[in-house]
């Protein structure tokens, strides 16, 4: 059996199998990805991050033309391709720096993804990624979750990948959700969506910074301890509901820790930025099924 090298990494408990493939020679099947991410029969992870030079694969050539040296080929734990992963970007960049494949000093790093080129900088709490502008979908999606009582309306937020954010009244209902079962959405978004369940803190804003807690069910994965783009979507949704006086800086608690979200203007557009830690756990070699 052929074997590959890998590194296990995580961001606030959202964990990934990082596979170096700088020249784009590796072609993992959906089943191979699923086995590698299996927590009993494989390494275990919420997804796989293939580290490949942008110019080496067709999907990365636009990113290479825009100045990005590296492309993050992100696959969910079931093998399906995903547009973006906010936590994945940070641990991907941390891997590049620690492996000596790239540097990140005063100059931001450009990174190719299926959702376009993302800009990454260092931050006091780790790394910060500019997810770019976002869109709000006014069409209501009703979400029913096991253990969550009556169906509740959700707000669609797209930050490069699709999310549905649902507000809950208190921590008891948040903790009572059974996210081992996929929540039902009506109508079902055409390409699926990550689903975030959020509870505002009391008070909602302290010293100009908003605060919420959330849990997430990720499409193609299930419940995860953290979801970077989901954290951004949740903060954007609560800010949207709170109205024009709401702050542009948020702290979001997830089961795996705390992440921060900012919404500064970049030129004439308002962007959403996500920051938090990234950790590499161990490296090894594994035989491919």
């Amino acid at each position: 059996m052929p074997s590959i090298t890998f590194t296990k990494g995580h961001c606030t408990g959202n964990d990934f199998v990082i596979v170096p493939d700088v020249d784009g020679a590796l072609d993992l099947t959906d089943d191979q990805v699923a086995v590698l991410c299996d927590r009993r029969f494989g390494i275990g992870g919420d997804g796989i991050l293939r580290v490949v030079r942008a110019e080496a694969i067709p999907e990365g050539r636009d990113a290479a033309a825009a100045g990005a040296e590296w492309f993050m080929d992100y696959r969910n734990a079931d093998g399906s391709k995903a547009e973006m992963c906010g936590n994945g970007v940070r641990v991907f960049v941390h891997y590049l720096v620690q492996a000596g494949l790239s540097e990140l000093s005063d100059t931001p790093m450009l990174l190719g993804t299926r959702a376009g080129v993302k800009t990454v900088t260092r931050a006091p709490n780790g790394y910060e990624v500019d997810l770019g502008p976002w869109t709000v979908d006014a069409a209501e999606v009703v979400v029913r979750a096991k253990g969550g009582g009556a169906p509740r309306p959700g707000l669609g937020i797209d930050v490069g990948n699709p999310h549905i954010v649902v507000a809950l009244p208190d921590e008891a209902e948040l903790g009572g959700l059974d996210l081992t079962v996929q929540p039902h959405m009506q109508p079902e978004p055409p390409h699926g969506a990550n689903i975030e369940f959020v509870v505002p803190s009391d008070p909602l804003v302290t010293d100009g910074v908003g605060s919420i807690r959330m849990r997430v069910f990720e499409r193609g994965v299930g419940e995860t301890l953290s979801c970077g783009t989901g954290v951004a979507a949740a903060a954007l949704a609560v800010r949207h509901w709170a109205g024009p006086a709401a702050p542009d800086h948020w702290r979001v608690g997830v089961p795996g820790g705390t992440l921060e979200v900012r919404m500064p203007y970049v030129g004439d557009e308002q962007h959403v930025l996500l920051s938090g830690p990234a950790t590499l756990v161990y490296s090894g070699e594994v035989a491919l099924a």
Side-chain angles (χ1 to χ4, degrees):
M1 274 187 197
S3 62
I4 58 171
T5 60
F6 71 90
T7 295
K8 181 71 178 286
H10 78 88
C11 292
T12 54
N14 194 190
D15 60 341
F16 307 94
V17 181
I18 305 167
V19 177
D21 180 32
V22 295
D23 297 320
L26 189 61
D27 184 19
L28 293 173
T29 67
D30 292 355
D31 287 343
Q32 287 173 325
V33 170
V35 170
L36 289 171
C37 291
D38 191 285
R39 298 190 183 279
R40 293 179 176 84
F41 297 101
I43 300 163
D46 294 325
I48 278 188
L49 305 173
R50 183 171 65 123
V51 180
V52 59
R53 293 193 189 277
E55 63 183 13
I57 59 172
E59 283 183 293
R61 284 173 191 160
D62 287 345
E69 182 180 2
W70 297 98
F71 185 87
M72 185 182 78
D73 177 13
Y74 175 54
R75 308 271 290 276
N76 292 317
D78 65 356
S80 60
K81 293 182 179 180
E83 300 90 345
M84 240 290 292
C85 177
N87 283 331
V89 166
R90 298 197 327 278
V91 76
F92 188 99
V93 169
H94 188 51
Y95 172 84
L96 290 176
V97 172
Q98 294 300 307
L101 295 172
S102 189
E103 295 182 355
L104 184 60
S105 52
D106 296 332
T107 303
M109 182 187 297
L110 300 180
L111 182 66
T113 75
R114 293 188 181 90
V117 175
K118 305 303 174 185
T119 303
V120 185
T121 56
R122 289 194 182 273
N125 61 342
Y127 299 89
E128 185 172 63
V129 52
D130 184 346
L131 300 175
W134 68 91
T135 57
V136 177
D137 187 349
E140 186 175 283
V141 175
V142 176
V143 179
R144 179 190 289 274
K146 186 176 180 182
R152 297 185 181 276
L155 180 68
I157 301 281
D158 194 303
V159 290
N161 58 356
H163 297 263
I164 301 294
V165 184
V166 179
L168 299 180
D170 53 47
E171 290 275 356
E173 189 158 330
L174 183 69
L177 293 173
D178 181 359
L179 296 183
T180 62
V181 179
Q182 181 170 352
H184 176 71
M185 295 180 285
Q186 183 62 40
E188 181 79 25
H191 302 293
N194 298 335
I195 308 169
E196 287 77 35
F197 298 90
V198 300
V199 173
S201 299
D202 186 15
L204 177 63
V205 180
T206 303
D207 297 328
V209 181
S211 178
I212 59 175
R213 290 193 56 78
M214 67 164 249
R215 291 173 64 189
V216 58
F217 187 97
E218 291 197 56
R219 59 176 180 166
V221 184
E223 182 176 16
T224 58
L225 295 180
S226 177
C227 171
T229 54
V231 161
L236 289 166
V238 175
R239 177 179 175 273
H240 175 82
W241 290 322
D248 291 333
H249 186 182
W250 293 80
R251 291 192 183 96
V252 183
V254 294
T258 302
L259 296 168
E260 297 202 20
V261 179
R262 299 190 301 122
M263 299 93 164
Y265 275 89
V266 178
D268 296 331
E269 287 186 311
Q270 195 169 22
H271 286 208
V272 58
L273 278 63
L274 169 76
S275 66
T279 303
L280 302 180
V281 184
Y282 62 89
S283 297
E285 187 173 298
V286 63
L288 284 177

